C-alpha cells in the first residue's frame, strides 16, 4: 500500500527548529523534512519508516509547517504566498505553552479555547489546496491523520474523495461533540475512554497505544556526563493540577530539574520556578531523560484513571528510571518490576528517597523497563496493530 501520515507540530517547536538551522526555510522540501526528522521530536518519521519496513510506501506531511508547504508547492509548480519570516513565528512564543500544545495532535478538544486567542482551528484555503494537491500527487491507499485539529472532518471528507483511501484518525482525548466521524474507517486512541466515545457515536474504534522507536538509540549522542537526581520533562498548566501538586511537593524536598513549558502559568510563589531548566525538544529531551537518576511522570488531569502518555515509553525506551502515577491499566503496559508507581504525593516522596539510595534496585527496574518497551511498545508493533485493524 501507499500510506500517508498527516501530522502537525507545536509552533514553539517550529520556531526552535528554524532558529536552530538558519536558512532552513529556503532549502528544498526534502532537506527540510530531513532536518525535521533528525530532531527526533514527537513521532518524527517513526510511523512512516516502520510502514516502509513492513513493505509499504510511506510518507509524512506536516500540515502546519508553512516553509515545508511552500517548498513543496514551488517544486510542483503551484502558486503560493510566501510564509511569514521565522522571527514572526518566534513571536508566538508569547502564547502559553500549554495552549501551543492544544493545536498539536491529540488535543482537538481544546479547539474552542484556541479560537479565543486567535489560533486558527483549521488551515487557510491556500494551505488546504496545497495539502490536497500533495495528497493527490502521492495517491495514498491509506491515510493516517494524527491531527484532527487542523484536518477536521470537513477537510477529511475532501481527502476521502481523493481516490477513496482508507482513512484512520488518531487522537488522545475525546474530541468536540457534534461532528460526523463516519468519514473515518477507523479511529484509534491510546485511551479506552476515547475509544468508547467514538463507538458511542457510531464510529469504529480500537485501542492503539503510543510507542518508542528503538533506532533512536543508534543515533543519540553518548549519554551526558552531567546527571540529575530527579527530573520532570513536560508541560505544567491548569490542565495538570495533580502534576503541579506532585512536582511542587518534590521540589520542596529534592533538587528537582524541570524541563518543559507552561511555567509562566504558575504563581510566582511556586517552587517550580527555581527548578526550571528551559524547554527541550527531541534529542535534547531524550538526553535529559538519560541524565536522570529518577524521572517523574504524571498524566494530564483529563486522562482520568488511564495510563498511556508518550513519556511512559520515551523514558523507559532510553533507559531511564521511571516513577509514574498509578493508573488502573498500568499493569497492562508495565509490571511493578519495570516501572515504579506512586498513588499519592505522600507515596512519591519516600519512593524517590528509596530509589536514589538503592542503586541496584533502581538499575534492575531500568533494565526490565527498557526490555519491556523494546519488546512490546515499539512503533513496529503499533504499525502491525494498525495494519491488522485496517484489514
Amino acid at each position: 500500500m501507499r500510506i500517508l501520515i498527516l501530522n502537525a507540530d507545536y509552533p514553539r517547536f517550529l520556531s526552535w527548529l528554524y532558529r536552530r538551522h538558519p536558512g532552513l526555510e529556503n532549502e528544498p522540501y526534502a532537506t527540510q523534512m530531513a532536518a525535521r526528522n533528525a530532531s527526533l521530536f514527537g513521532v518524527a518519521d517513526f510511523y512512516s519508516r516502520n510502514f516502509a519496513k513492513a513493505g509499504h510506501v510511506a510518507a509524512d506531511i506536516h500540515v502546519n509547517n508553512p516553509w515545508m508547504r511552500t517548498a513543496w508547492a514551488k517544486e510542483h509548480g503551484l502558486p503560493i504566498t510566501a510564509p511569514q519570516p521565522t522571527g514572526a513565528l518566534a513571536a508566538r512564543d508569547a502564547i502559553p505553552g500549554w495552549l501551543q500544545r492544544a493545536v498539536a495532535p491529540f488535543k482537538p478538544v481544546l479547539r474552542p479555547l484556541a479560537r479565543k486567542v486567535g489560533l486558527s482551528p483549521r488551515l487557510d484555503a491556500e494551505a488546504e489546496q496545497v495539502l490536497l494537491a500533495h495528497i493527490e500527487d502521492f495517491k495514498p491507499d491509506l491515510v493516517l491523520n494524527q491531527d484532527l485539529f487542523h484536518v477536521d472532518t470537513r477537510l477529511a471528507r475532501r481527502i476521502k474523495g481523493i481516490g477513496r483511501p482508507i482513512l484512520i484518525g488518531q487522537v488522545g482525548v475525546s474530541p468536540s461533540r457534534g461532528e460526523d466521524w463516519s468519514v473515518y474507517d477507523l479511529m484509534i486512541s491510546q485511551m479506552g475512554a476515547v475509544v468508547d466515545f467514538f463507538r458511542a457515536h457510531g464510529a469504529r474504534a480500537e485501542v492503539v497505544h503510543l510507542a518508542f522507536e528503538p533506532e533512536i538509540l543508534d543515533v543519540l549522542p553518548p549519554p551526558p556526563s552531567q546527571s540529575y537526581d530527579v527530573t520532570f520533562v513536560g508541560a505544567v498548566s491548569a490542565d495538570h493540577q495533580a502534576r503541579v501538586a506532585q512536582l511542587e511537593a518534590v521540589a520542596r524536598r529534592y533538587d528537582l530539574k524541570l524541563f518543559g513549558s507552561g511555567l509562566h502559568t504558575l504563581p510566582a510563589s511556586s517552587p517550580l520556578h527555581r527548578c526550571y531548566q528551559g524547554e527541550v525538544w527531541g534529542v535534547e529531551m531524550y538526553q535529559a531523560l538519560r541524565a536522570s537518576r529518577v524521572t517523574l511522570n504524571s498524566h494530564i488531569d483529563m486522562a482520568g484513571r488511564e495510563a498511556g502518555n508518550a513519556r511512559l515509553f520515551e523514558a523507559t525506551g532510553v533507559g531511564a528510571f521511571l516513577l509514574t502515577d498509578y493508573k488502573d491499566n498500568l499493569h497492562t503496559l508495565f509490571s511493578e518490576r519495570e516501572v515504579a508507581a506512586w498513588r499519592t504525593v505522600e507515596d512519591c516522596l519516600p519512593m524517590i528517597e528509596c530509589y536514589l539510595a538503592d542503586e541496584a534496585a533502581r538499575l534492575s527496574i531500568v533494565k526490565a523497563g527498557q526490555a519491556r518497551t523494546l519488546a512490546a511498545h515499539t512503533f513496529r508493533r503499533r504499525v502491525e496493530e494498525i495494519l491488522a485493524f485496517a484489514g
Side-chain angles (χ1 to χ4, degrees), residues 215-279:
E215 290 185 356
I216 286 174
L217 299 174
D218 298 327
V219 298
L220 285 176
S225 55
Q226 180 183 17
S227 66
Y228 310 110
D229 279 350
V230 189
T231 67
F232 176 76
V233 182
V236 291
S237 76
D239 294 313
H240 305 93
Q241 293 185 25
R243 175 183 297 175
V244 170
Q246 178 224 11
L247 293 178
E248 289 185 338
V250 172
R252 293 186 182 100
R253 184 178 297 189
Y254 299 101
D255 184 20
L256 174 69
K257 303 299 184 185
L258 173 64
F259 301 85
S261 62
L263 192 69
H264 64 279
T265 67
L266 304 182
S269 59
S270 173
L272 296 183
H273 288 282
R274 62 176 170 78
C275 304
Y276 189 55
Q277 307 296 304
E279 290 183 316

Side-chain angles (χ1 to χ4, degrees), residues 206-377:
E206 301 288 349
V207 171
V208 175
H209 281 283
L210 304 179
F212 176 75
E213 177 48 56
E215 290 185 356
I216 286 174
L217 299 174
D218 298 327
V219 298
L220 285 176
S225 55
Q226 180 183 17
S227 66
Y228 310 110
D229 279 350
V230 189
T231 67
F232 176 76
V233 182
V236 291
S237 76
D239 294 313
H240 305 93
Q241 293 185 25
R243 175 183 297 175
V244 170
Q246 178 224 11
L247 293 178
E248 289 185 338
V250 172
R252 293 186 182 100
R253 184 178 297 189
Y254 299 101
D255 184 20
L256 174 69
K257 303 299 184 185
L258 173 64
F259 301 85
S261 62
L263 192 69
H264 64 279
T265 67
L266 304 182
S269 59
S270 173
L272 296 183
H273 288 282
R274 62 176 170 78
C275 304
Y276 189 55
Q277 307 296 304
E279 290 183 316
V280 286
W281 307 99
V283 172
E284 294 176 358
M285 179 202 70
Y286 289 116
Q287 292 295 79
L289 292 172
R290 295 169 92 195
S292 309
R293 297 179 67 202
V294 172
T295 194
L296 303 172
N297 184 39
S298 177
H299 287 73
I300 193 170
D301 295 339
M302 68 178 69
R305 302 190 64 82
E306 288 191 81
N309 64 11
R311 198 174 300 106
L312 286 170
F313 311 111
E314 293 165 343
T316 54
V318 295
F321 175 88
L322 183 66
L323 180 55
T324 188
D325 48 347
Y326 174 83
K327 299 291 183 181
D328 291 345
N329 69 325
L330 182 61
H331 69 281
T332 68
L333 301 171
F334 295 97
S335 76
E336 62 185 11
R337 297 181 300 103
E338 297 161 342
V339 298
W342 56 273
R343 293 173 182 263
T344 66
V345 172
E346 290 71 24
D347 276 343
C348 181
L349 299 179
M351 291 180 76
I352 293 174
E353 186 74 26
C354 171
Y355 286 110
L356 286 178
D358 191 341
E359 184 173 9
R362 180 169 52 82
L363 293 180
S364 175
I365 289 176
V366 165
K367 183 177 179 180
Q370 186 176 43
R372 178 65 177 271
T373 290
L374 296 181
H377 301 310

Side-chain angles (χ1 to χ4, degrees), residues 372-389:
R372 178 65 177 271
T373 290
L374 296 181
H377 301 310
T378 64
F379 279 93
R380 180 173 180 174
R381 292 290 296 270
R382 302 302 182 242
V383 159
E384 292 170 352
E385 293 168 9
I386 291 170
L387 291 172
F389 285 133

